[in-house]
Amino acid sequence: MQLKVNVTSERPDEYVGKRGLVKHQVITCQDVDPSGYRLLMPFDYTLSEEEKAKWAGKLQDRTITVGIRELLPCGGRLRARGAIVTGPDTK
């Protein structure tokens, strides 16, 4: 599914996993779909390495379109997996 979202925050996320220290860039997204059928709560999205190189530090307070394959619980919040379909500079 594709969601039009507003990026409310962007932050690094680090934790110790099974294979050592894991570092991610995480954005928090709020659904702003114009049809009115929106997700009620914000969710987190982890940027891939390619997305991190292209978009890190440029997404906060911007509207983007995210293609979502999965929504998983992660530390009491939802975390999405997928890809950024259109960024803030694509009209």
Side-chain angles (χ1 to χ4, degrees):
M1 94 178 119
Q2 289 188 5
L3 295 176
K4 187 173 185 177
V5 299
N6 185 33
V7 179
T8 57
S9 74
E10 184 173 355
R11 66 190 183 288
D13 183 29
E14 297 179 357
Y15 61 91
V16 178
K18 292 179 183 177
R19 297 183 180 117
L21 185 65
V22 179
K23 295 182 180 183
H24 293 293
Q25 188 74 11
V26 177
I27 59 175
T28 301
C29 303
Q30 179 67 51
D31 189 3
V32 292
D33 184 22
S35 70
Y37 295 100
R38 300 178 180 156
L39 293 173
L40 296 177
M41 56 190 285
F43 62 91
D44 292 338
Y45 174 79
T46 303
L47 299 176
S48 68
E49 291 300 320
E50 296 84 24
E51 292 169 340
K52 190 187 304 185
K54 187 174 181 180
W55 301 112
K58 301 176 185 174
L59 296 175
Q60 187 163 343
D61 298 324
R62 302 287 185 100
T63 301
I64 62 173
T65 303
V66 181
I68 296 177
R69 288 182 281 120
E70 292 180 280
L71 285 171
L72 305 166
C74 182
R77 296 180 59 100
L78 288 177
R79 184 156 295 184
R81 288 188 186 171
I84 295 176
V85 178
T86 58
D89 58 353
T90 306
K91 302 290 180 192

